[in-house]
Structure formats: structure tokens, C-alpha cells
Amino acid sequence: MSKFVHLHTHTEYSLLDGLSKIPKLVKAAKDMGMEALAITDHGVMYGAIEFYKECSSAGIKPIIGAELYIAPRSHKSKEGKADTEPYHLTVLAKNYQGYLNLMKLISISHLEGFYYKPRVDKALLKEYHEGLICLSGCPGGEFIEILDRKGIEKAEEVAKEYIEIFGLENYFFELQNHFY
């Protein structure tokens, strides 16, 4: 029987977005019988070690990830409105190499790409994609935004671009229940 696993989870480290404290989050997952749980805070990995320890002690498989901010142009472009609204992209480490690459991407996003938010770009994703799983993202993701604004054909192009970067076996469509 297939069990449900939260793969897009924000904690208190997603400022102005997440509320869950890691110990309570892990306890709730354990109480619901979940065998695994992901952490995907916005542009940071501040809670990764605490999350890993809490999950491990509770017998839950920790999945380390982040919701990256993807610059529409280069992560180094910092010109007005064109660069202030990056897309969201959920990325999970599937192994140790993925964890190292995720740390590298987060570091670059803060040190080189910070413009209102810590950003990376697709060139960096191509360079550091090994060991990473990509989810299409939330309503702030490129796939959904393009689908809403430009239609299915253009959204398919976006999905194909991410499949080229991460590989078909490492790209998944994210489903969320949002009420507007």
C-alpha cells in the first residue's frame, strides 16, 4: 500500500511563510503514521540538521530539500522589476551528492544571486543537478505561472527544459490543494 509523504513542507525557517516548529512537525508526522517527511524551506537550509536529527530519532526518513528561487534571467542580473520576481522550484536531495549540490546552490544563491531573495538560475541547476529531484513547484513556480499566462504548449516547454536539466526520472509534477 502506498503511503502519503509531504514533499513540500515549510518550517519556521521560511520567514513570513512557514509556521511549523520542527519538533512539532515531526511529532505530527509520526502520529499520522508517516514514514518519511521533507523539509523545503524558502531559499534556505537553516533547519536541515535539526530536521534530520528529529526525524531520525522519531524513526522517520528525513528528506532534505529547499524551495529555490529561480531567476528569470541570470542569478547575477539585478535590474529593477525584471529580476525581483523569481520563480519557485522545489528541489530534494536524493543522495549525499544531491545534499552537497543543494548546499552549493543555496550558498551561491546567497553570496552571488541575492536580489530581494536568494536566487539561482538554470545554468547553475545544470551545473549542480546531480543527485537532485525536481518538483514542478507551487503556484509561484515557472510551470504553473506559464500555464496560467501562456497555455499548455508553453508550459510543456518549461517542463521539458527541467527534464533536460534533471532527467526524466528526477522531474515530477507537484500537486497541491489550494483554495483561492
Side-chain angles (χ1 to χ4, degrees):
M1 177 166 95
S2 179
K3 298 216 177 193
F4 181 80
V5 175
H6 283 286
L7 297 177
H8 188 141
T9 309
H10 298 305
T11 72
E12 62 192 297
Y13 296 105
S14 286
L15 299 180
L16 302 176
D17 189 48
L19 180 62
S20 303
K21 302 228 183 290
I22 290 173
K24 289 183 178 181
L25 178 67
V26 172
K27 182 183 181 324
K30 181 72 172 175
D31 290 347
M32 288 186 257
M34 293 183 184
E35 297 175 4
L37 181 64
I39 183 173
T40 56
D41 285 318
H42 278 284
V44 299
M45 293 176 65
Y46 302 142
I49 301 299
E50 178 186 0
F51 178 80
Y52 180 87
K53 289 178 179 179
E54 287 287 333
C55 283
S56 295
S57 67
I60 292 176
K61 178 182 179 177
I63 302 169
I64 306 297
E67 187 168 357
L68 300 177
Y69 293 109
I70 309 301
R73 304 184 309 163
S74 166
H75 73 287
K76 294 183 179 181
S77 297
K78 299 175 182 179
E79 300 170 16
K81 184 137 176 93
D83 297 311
T84 61
E85 297 179 7
Y87 296 114
H88 297 206
L89 188 70
T90 311
V91 178
L92 307 169
K94 71 177 183 179
N95 54 34
Y96 184 66
Q97 185 60 53
Y99 177 71
L100 295 176
N101 282 333
L102 187 58
M103 286 194 300
K104 184 73 172 174
L105 288 166
I106 294 290
S107 295
I108 292 170
S109 76
H110 282 268
L111 296 172
E112 298 175 10
F114 201 96
Y115 186 63
Y116 292 87
K117 295 180 180 188
R119 305 165 311 137
V120 297
D121 57 31
K122 291 177 183 171
L124 287 170
L125 294 176
K126 287 177 187 171
E127 186 174 350
Y128 299 105
H129 73 277
E130 187 181 341
L132 294 175
I133 294 172
C134 175
L135 308 180
S136 60
C138 65
E142 184 176 10
F143 177 79
I144 294 297
E145 286 196 17
I146 297 298
L147 180 64
D148 284 346
R149 289 194 323 248
K150 298 183 180 179
I152 189 70
E153 292 82 16
K154 293 292 184 186
E156 285 177 2
E157 290 175 19
V158 170
K160 288 177 183 174
E161 190 174 9
Y162 284 110
I163 288 169
E164 281 182 30
I165 293 170
F166 293 97
L168 182 60
E169 69 283 0
N170 294 317
Y171 182 77
F172 297 90
F173 290 100
E174 188 168 336
L175 300 175
Q176 295 183 359
N177 189 2
H178 285 271
F179 297 97
Y180 292 102

